[in-house]
């Protein structure tokens, strides 16, 4: 191929950002960018900005929802930074900054008590809910931000209740410790979702750079706000409520923008319900739009996955009957003590896990619709097997064709596995 510039030897590109061509002319190899020179100069600043604050290879190296999520996440971080400034000022005032009668020892003890309760809260929450943060990352991400706003509101009000100041700031510290665990862990789960080239570290590092830039902007605005709100509690509370409203709205839009292709209990339940009702398979984008992002407290029949065998059967004849009801599948489904329990076989595959969860969801929905829950309901277990024997193969093929990742799941399985000894084995 020849032109006025010479013979084209090669063409190379940097992701979708730049394209260059190599020419051979008069025995010399030249490299020129495809596109006008004005465009190249105009994009130089944008290119530097992207290289500093966006992962290498953006946008191909991240998920399609990355930019929208990061924009809303940036907005909420900015609002949270300003709210945090107001809360910090109130805390300092509460421990005696500016009060000649306050002692260093009293302020230090208050601070140490707050830090101590925060550490205990962090350990306790990680123990109780750590295994839920992967499977329900959206819910706990939003919960953490709501709890963070509550904690800061308590810090702002604390100076008005001097007799209860220490208790209030310690409670606030516990809330913030929960925020730290839930926020950090769910951010890691979202990073796993966003990374498309095993570039989790790069995405995490650039997220830190974005947050630092936002905090710097918040610092500049805070320097303007502090003289205005000092000794003005009405203005302090008014600005706090404005920033909190922006913070919560941006957080809601951020988690709503996330489109995860892996199945957790909520997304699988939504997809399964639509399939059983009208035979259609929802895409990840459609199911994520319907997925609840607030922690729910409505009465349902809970599902326990990966339980010990002892939790579902106690006698040999009971085990034999349970195996018969479950058609010798690599899992056992039992309704007992108000729970739908799934005991998973040691050789069960990911497809077996998805099928077991589908049956458990169907049974739970059927029982939730009942007014009274019997202690055991083997008929529903048998009916769920008949239903899935008919539709599961078609359902699984449709789910995979719709773009869902069926090689791994975010179902909340415990670690118990059992070797089921059938008569044939």
């Amino acid at each position: 191929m020849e032109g006025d510039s010479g013979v084209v030897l090669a063409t190379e590109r940097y992701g979708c950002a730049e394209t260059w061509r190599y020419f051979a002319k008069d025995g010399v190899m030249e490299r020129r960018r495809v596109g006008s020179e004005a465009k190249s100069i105009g994009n130089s600043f944008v290119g530097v900005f992207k290289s500093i604050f966006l992962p290498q290879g953006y946008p191909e190296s991240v998920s399609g929802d990355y930019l929208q999520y990061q924009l809303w996440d940036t907005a909420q971080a900015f609002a949270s930074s300003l709210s945090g400034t107001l809360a910090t000022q109130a805390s300092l005032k509460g421990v005696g900054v500016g009060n000649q009668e306050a002692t260093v020892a009293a302020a230090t003890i208050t601070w140490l008590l707050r830090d101590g309760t925060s550490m205990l809260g962090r350990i306790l929450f990680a123990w109780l809910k750590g295994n839920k943060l992967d499977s329900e990352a959206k819910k706990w991400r939003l919960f953490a931000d709501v709890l963070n706003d509550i904690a800061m509101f308590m810090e702002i009000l604390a100076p008005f209740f001097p007799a209860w100041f220490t208790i209030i700031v310690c409670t606030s510290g516990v809330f913030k410790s929960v925020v730290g665990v839930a926020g950090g862990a769910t951010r890691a789960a979202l990073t796993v979702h966003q990374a498309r080239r095993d570039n989790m570290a790069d995405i995490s590092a650039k997220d830190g750079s974005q947050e630092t830039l936002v905090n710097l902007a918040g610092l500049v605005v805070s320097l303007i706000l502090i003289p205005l709100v000092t000794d003005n509690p009405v203005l302090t509370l008014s600005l706090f409520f404005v920033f909190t409203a922006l913070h919560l709205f941006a957080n809601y839009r951020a988690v709503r923008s996330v489109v995860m292709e892996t199945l957790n209990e909520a997304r699988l339940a939504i997809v399964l319900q639509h399939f059983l009702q009208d035979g259609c398979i929802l895409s990840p984008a459609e199911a994520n739009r319907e997925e609840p992002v607030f922690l729910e407290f409505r009465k349902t029949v809970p599902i326990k996955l990966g339980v010990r065998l002892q939790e579902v059967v106690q006698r040999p004849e009971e085990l034999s009957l349970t195996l018969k009801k479950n058609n010798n599948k690599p899992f056992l489904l039992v309704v007992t003590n108000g729970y739908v329990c799934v005991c998973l076989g040691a050789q069960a595959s990911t497809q077996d896990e998805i099928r077991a969860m589908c049956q458990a969801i169907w049974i739970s929905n059927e029982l939730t619709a009942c007014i009274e829950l019997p202690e055991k309901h083997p008929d529903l277990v048998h009916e769920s097997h008949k239903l899935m024997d008919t539709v599961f193969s078609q359902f699984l093929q449709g789910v995979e064709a719709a773009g869902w990742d069926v090689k791994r799941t975010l179902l909340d399985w415990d670690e118990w596995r059992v070797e089921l000894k059938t008569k044939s084995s």
Side-chain angles (χ1 to χ4, degrees), residues 326-332 343-349 352 418 420:
N326 283 276
N327 301 327
N328 292 328
K329 292 288 189 298
F331 55 85
L332 298 179
C343 187
L344 194 63
Q347 305 302 321
S349 65
D352 294 326
V418 61
L420 301 171

Side-chain angles (χ1 to χ4, degrees), residues 88-155:
T88 300
Q89 185 199 36
S91 296
L92 293 174
K93 182 179 179 180
V95 297
V97 175
N99 185 354
Q100 294 181 352
E101 297 180 359
T103 64
V104 175
T108 303
I109 291 173
T110 301
W111 223 253
L112 291 176
L113 287 173
R114 190 192 72 162
D115 289 347
T117 52
S118 297
M119 294 174 189
L120 292 175
R122 187 178 297 114
I123 295 172
L124 184 63
F125 179 76
W127 171 51
L128 293 174
K129 296 296 182 181
N131 62 326
K132 299 286 186 181
L133 300 179
D134 281 302
S135 58
E136 298 181 343
K138 294 182 186 180
K139 291 182 179 181
W140 286 106
R141 178 75 177 178
L142 192 57
F143 171 81
D145 287 298
V146 172
L147 194 61
N148 187 48
D149 289 332
I150 294 174
M152 289 190 290
F153 182 59
M154 293 175 65
E155 291 179 350

Side-chain angles (χ1 to χ4, degrees), residues 113-372:
L113 287 173
R114 190 192 72 162
D115 289 347
T117 52
S118 297
M119 294 174 189
L120 292 175
R122 187 178 297 114
I123 295 172
L124 184 63
F125 179 76
W127 171 51
L128 293 174
K129 296 296 182 181
N131 62 326
K132 299 286 186 181
L133 300 179
D134 281 302
S135 58
E136 298 181 343
K138 294 182 186 180
K139 291 182 179 181
W140 286 106
R141 178 75 177 178
L142 192 57
F143 171 81
D145 287 298
V146 172
L147 194 61
N148 187 48
D149 289 332
I150 294 174
M152 289 190 290
F153 182 59
M154 293 175 65
E155 291 179 350
I156 289 176
L157 292 182
F160 299 102
F161 303 92
W164 297 88
F165 180 81
T166 300
I167 295 177
I168 293 174
V169 296
C170 287
T171 305
S172 171
V174 172
F175 287 175
K176 285 194 170 183
S177 69
V178 172
V179 172
V181 175
T186 53
R187 184 68 191 94
L190 292 175
T191 301
V192 173
H193 157 69
Q194 292 172 339
R196 295 304 158 98
R197 292 182 180 173
D198 294 324
N199 56 339
M200 287 176 53
D202 185 26
I203 291 177
S204 181
K206 296 303 169 56
D207 182 65
S209 297
Q210 296 166 19
E211 187 172 350
T212 301
L213 181 64
V214 171
N215 288 335
L216 285 172
L219 178 63
V220 173
V221 177
S222 298
L223 291 174
I224 300 173
L225 286 179
I226 290 300
L228 300 176
V229 300
T230 302
D231 299 325
N232 192 338
V234 174
L235 182 59
T236 298
L237 287 174
S238 299
L239 289 175
F240 175 79
F241 286 128
V242 170
F243 297 147
T244 298
L246 174 61
H247 179 237
L248 295 178
F249 176 74
N251 266 297
Y252 175 78
R253 293 300 302 269
V255 296
R256 271 294 177 208
S257 68
V258 176
V259 179
M260 304 190 82
E261 299 89 359
T262 44
L263 292 165
N264 65 357
E265 181 178 338
R267 292 189 286 273
L268 181 57
I270 291 169
V271 176
L272 180 64
Q273 181 181 8
H274 279 271
F275 175 76
L276 294 178
Q277 286 179 349
D278 49 36
C280 72
I281 300 291
L282 297 185
S283 67
E286 293 169 332
N288 276 264
R289 280 196 295 269
E290 295 189 23
E291 181 185 7
V293 294
F294 293 102
L295 293 177
E296 297 177 300
F297 300 98
R298 61 187 179 92
K299 186 173 179 58
T300 59
V301 178
I303 298 172
K304 296 173 68 174
L305 303 174
V307 301
R308 292 182 299 178
L309 184 63
Q310 188 179 12
E311 292 188 43
V312 296
V313 295
Q314 283 75 40
R315 297 185 301 275
E317 59 271 18
E318 193 175 358
L319 175 59
S320 178
L321 178 62
T322 302
L323 287 170
K324 182 179 179 181
K325 291 291 183 181
N326 283 276
N327 301 327
N328 292 328
K329 292 288 189 298
F331 55 85
L332 298 179
L333 272 164
V334 178
V335 180
T336 181
N337 298 324
Y339 290 91
V340 180
C341 297
V342 183
C343 187
L344 194 63
Q347 305 302 321
S349 65
T350 304
Q351 292 186 6
D352 294 326
E353 293 179 6
I354 296 175
R355 169 165 174 160
M357 190 62 188
C358 286
Q359 294 184 218
I361 290 171
W362 183 83
I363 294 171
S364 175
N365 290 339
E366 292 294 315
L367 292 175
T368 301
C370 298
I371 299 176
E372 296 181 358

